[in-house]
Amino acid sequence: MQAQTFHTFPAPAKLNLTLLITGKRSDGYHLLDTDFRFIDLCDTIDIAVRDDGVIELLNPMPDVPADSDLTVRAARLLQQASGSTLGATLRVHKRIPMGGGLGGGSSDAATVLLALNRLWGCGLSREALMQLGVQLGADVPVFIFGKNARATGIGEQLTELALPDAWYVVCKPPVHVATGPVFQEFSQRLLTGKASFSIMRSLSGATQKQNDLQPVVAEIYPAVKQVLNRLSEYGSPLMTGSGACVFLELANEDQANKVFHSLSGEMTVYVAKGLKAHPVSDGE
C-alpha cells in the first residue's frame, strides 16, 4: 500500500429548533415534526484512501470496538453498496459532546458517506446515500440531505428550511441522556394524561418553539433543569433532541459571547453560528 494522504472533512452538529411529537405508529415509532439546523460546532474526520480494501479507524473510542463505530459501519456500508474495492483509514477528532442531542455520531457517519462517495468515485446520488444513512441511524439522512430542514414522519420526510442568520450558546449539562428511555417515559405519560401529542403545524409552518421531550428530561435529570433555568436569565432556552444539551438563540456574535463568558466558569458551554448548509457536498 502506498503512503497515505489524509483529507480532512467537517461533521457539523445539529440543533432541533423545535421538536413536536405528533403521534405514534403501530410499530412503536413516534411521529415527529422538527426543524433541524446545522451549526459550526464540528467534529473533523481525517480520511485516507487505501488500495487494499481495508477499513481502519485509528482512534476508536474507549469501550467501543472499532467495528461498532458508526464511521467504520458507514464506510463498509458504502463499500458494499457501491462495490468499491478501495478502503480507507479514518481518524475522528471529537468536539461535539456525546449524549447531548447534537447528532455527533450521526453527523460523523454522514460525513464519511459523503466524503468516501467522492474519494472513491462511487457516484451515488444524494438520495441513494440517504437510503444508506437511514440504516445507520434516524438522524443520518438529514446530514446527507445537506440543508437545514423540517422533518416529519419518523424523521425521514425532509423539506428544505430557509433560516435567518443566528448565533447560539450551547450548554452541556454533566449528564448523558439515553434517547430510548426518554421516549418510553413520554409514552407512559401519554397513558396517564400527563403528556399529549402536539397538533401539527399550520400550513405556514409557524409554531411556538418548543420541545415536547423537554419536560420529561428536565424532571428525570435535574442538571438539565438547572441549565434551562440558568439560561432563561438571558432569553428563552430550549433543549435539543432528547437532551441533554440546551441552547439559546441570539441575534449576533457579540450577544452570544457575552452569555458565553458569563457561563463559561460554571459549565461546559460553546458558541456556534448557524450554517446555511452542510459544509461537505455529496460530490455530485
Side-chain angles (χ1 to χ4, degrees):
M1 189 179 67
Q2 295 178 345
Q4 294 181 311
T5 300
F6 282 94
H7 306 268
T8 300
F9 300 89
K14 60 84 176 170
L15 297 174
N16 296 90
L17 300 186
T18 192
L19 176 55
L20 310 179
I21 311 297
T22 60
K24 191 175 182 180
R25 300 195 319 191
S26 59
D27 61 6
Y29 282 95
H30 288 82
L31 300 174
L32 311 176
D33 190 350
T34 185
D35 290 347
F36 285 105
R37 172 148 220 181
F38 303 136
I39 56 175
D40 68 356
L41 173 63
C42 296
D43 292 343
T44 54
I45 303 176
D46 301 330
I47 302 177
V49 175
R50 305 168 62 116
D51 56 14
D52 60 1
V54 171
I55 305 297
E56 180 186 21
L57 177 61
L58 294 178
N59 58 338
M61 291 184 293
D63 303 322
V64 178
D67 286 348
S68 300
D69 193 277
L70 276 175
T71 58
V72 172
R73 290 172 57 200
R76 288 180 176 158
L77 191 61
L78 179 62
Q79 203 177 42
Q80 181 180 16
S82 67
S84 177
T85 60
L86 296 172
T89 300
L90 310 173
R91 185 167 51 221
V92 180
H93 303 276
K94 292 295 296 181
R95 185 164 178 247
I96 302 169
M98 294 184 290
L102 297 173
S106 295
S107 185
D108 293 345
T111 287
V112 168
L113 289 173
L114 289 165
L116 285 179
N117 187 49
R118 181 194 306 171
L119 293 173
W120 286 347
C122 298
L124 271 64
S125 68
R126 188 183 298 271
E127 291 72 21
L129 292 174
M130 289 171 64
Q131 290 174 10
L132 293 180
V134 77
Q135 300 178 47
L136 299 167
D139 283 349
V140 178
V142 73
F143 290 103
I144 299 170
F145 183 70
K147 305 287 186 181
N148 297 314
R150 177 184 176 185
T152 53
I154 59 171
E156 84 285 9
Q157 300 170 23
L158 299 170
T159 306
E160 184 176 346
L161 192 64
L163 295 171
D165 291 338
W167 287 80
Y168 300 91
V169 171
V170 183
C171 300
K172 173 65 168 71
V175 291
H176 182 113
V177 175
T179 299
V182 169
F183 276 98
Q184 291 171 11
E185 177 62 23
F186 182 85
S187 292
Q188 286 298 314
R189 294 186 179 205
L190 287 171
L191 296 175
T192 59
K194 294 181 180 179
S196 61
F197 290 128
S198 287
I199 299 172
M200 292 291 284
R201 282 186 270 188
S202 66
L203 292 176
S204 67
T207 184
Q208 179 181 357
K209 290 183 177 180
Q210 67 186 64
N211 184 332
D212 287 345
L213 298 175
Q214 182 172 301
V216 176
V217 177
E219 184 173 320
I220 298 174
Y221 298 92
V224 175
K225 186 175 183 178
Q226 290 171 8
V227 172
L228 283 163
N229 289 340
R230 183 71 172 90
L231 265 184
S232 67
E233 298 174 23
Y234 304 96
S236 300
L238 200 68
M239 187 182 78
T240 182
S242 57
C245 285
V246 174
F247 68 93
L248 181 66
E249 183 174 307
L250 296 149
N252 57 60
E253 185 177 10
D254 286 344
Q255 290 180 11
N257 282 330
K258 287 178 182 177
V259 176
F260 169 83
H261 288 301
S262 68
L263 299 175
S264 59
E266 304 174 29
M267 62 187 76
T268 301
V269 58
Y270 308 86
V271 171
K273 185 179 182 181
L275 298 174
K276 294 293 188 184
H278 194 290
V280 181
S281 73
D282 59 358
E284 290 181 341

